[in-house]
Amino acid sequence: NAGVTQTPKFRVLKTGQSMTLLCAQDMNHEYMYWYRQDPGMGLRLIHYSVGEGTTAKGEVPDGYNVSRLKKQNFLLGLESAAPSQTSVYFCASSYRSSYNSPLHFGNGTRLTVT
Amino acid sequence: GENVEQHPSTLSVQEGDSAVIKCTYSDSASNYFPWYKQELGKRPQLIIDIRSNVGEKKDQRIAVTLNKTAKHFSLHITETQPEDSAVYFCAASTPNQGGKLIFGQGTELSVKP
């Protein structure tokens, strides 16, 4: 099992450009999450999904969109990147809700917006 | 929504000493409190968790305590070793919030040999 795989690992964007981050899991998990990690601010939840075809907003959803067309994939989109979106992005998945099963994280995507 | 505050932001101890990291949460309905460890350049990984029907849980050198009345929980690491050096995150989950996990700001622990 690969677990949770994120692509790409690194990316540099110019302000206004768009991109999509891909998260794939092979553990048949129902729940998937996107977090961003910034120094001194911990892990902040952007969007999450409780099952195929569902999405919900987290703590900091503005400027991001997500889709969960297939159970194993969770895509995070930036339509018009801003320097404030420079961060490390982590995808995670869990079998059921985080209360019943631990989160499994990917290795992260380091995004720089200039 | 839930808000989790974590202290201290950095902690330096000598090898063999104990380390304590504290977190407070705002939503009294929160009932699950995990701790994650993130080594430099790696992904966060679960190290221990506690549910609201338990006051304390131990796993070898690590333990977590929960005070529901005061809405705070703590991570205790005894006999610290250099490999304990990492960033530690506490988190809280509220059942009526869709099962999402809200994290604290993180504590960078440095264990000096």
Side-chain angles (χ1 to χ4, degrees):
Chain A
N1 283 353
V4 179
T5 304
Q6 291 182 234
T7 53
K9 295 181 181 178
F10 304 93
R11 186 73 186 268
V12 178
L13 287 179
K14 294 187 177 182
T15 297
Q17 288 185 321
S18 63
M19 78 163 294
T20 300
L21 282 66
L22 173 63
C23 177
Q25 53 93 5
D26 61 1
M27 297 175 284
N28 199 34
H29 285 176
E30 291 291 336
Y31 284 59
M32 296 187 75
Y33 315 81
W34 276 106
Y35 286 90
R36 60 177 289 175
Q37 183 175 21
D38 303 291
M41 304 190 76
L43 293 155
R44 292 182 293 170
L45 182 63
I46 305 171
H47 287 281
Y48 65 107
S49 169
V50 302
E52 181 179 314
T54 74
T55 62
K57 294 180 179 180
E59 302 170 89
V60 289
D62 294 342
Y64 305 94
N65 57 76
V66 288
S67 64
R68 182 102 181 266
L69 298 179
K70 293 183 178 181
K71 184 177 183 178
Q72 63 268 33
N73 296 336
F74 196 30
L75 278 62
L76 178 70
L78 286 73
E79 291 187 349
S80 180
S84 60
Q85 294 178 304
T86 293
S87 187
V88 178
Y89 291 85
F90 282 98
C91 176
S93 70
S94 60
Y95 182 64
R96 290 282 186 252
S97 86
S98 59
Y99 177 81
N100 296 309
S101 53
L103 267 60
H104 296 259
F105 283 87
N107 283 326
T109 295
R110 184 173 295 276
L111 175 66
T112 301
V113 183
T114 62
Chain B
E2 176 63 278
N3 183 52
V4 180
E5 297 287 334
Q6 182 172 348
H7 299 280
S9 56
T10 61
L11 180 60
S12 181
V13 300
Q14 289 295 132
E15 182 177 359
D17 287 350
S18 295
V20 180
I21 303 169
K22 299 181 179 181
C23 289
T24 60
Y25 60 98
S26 61
D27 191 339
S28 57
S30 290
N31 58 2
Y32 175 63
F33 309 93
W35 286 86
Y36 284 77
K37 175 183 180 181
Q38 184 181 29
E39 296 177 355
L40 188 62
K42 297 191 176 181
R43 70 184 79 183
Q45 292 191 303
L46 178 71
I47 55 171
I48 194 167
D49 58 12
I50 190 168
R51 289 180 168 78
S52 58
N53 58 347
V54 176
E56 183 176 4
K57 184 176 180 180
K58 291 183 179 180
D59 183 3
Q60 300 184 336
R61 295 186 298 108
I62 60 174
V64 58
T65 59
L66 172 65
N67 184 327
K68 289 187 291 183
T69 303
K71 290 190 286 187
H72 69 70
F73 56 112
S74 300
L75 178 71
H76 304 254
I77 305 175
T78 59
E79 301 173 17
T80 53
Q81 301 168 3
E83 52 265 37
D84 294 329
S85 295
V87 177
Y88 291 81
F89 293 99
C90 63
S93 178
T94 310
N96 60 355
Q97 295 286 323
K100 58 187 179 184
L101 205 55
I102 303 300
F103 285 83
Q105 296 84 352
T107 297
E108 184 175 359
L109 173 65
S110 176
V111 180
K112 300 184 184 304

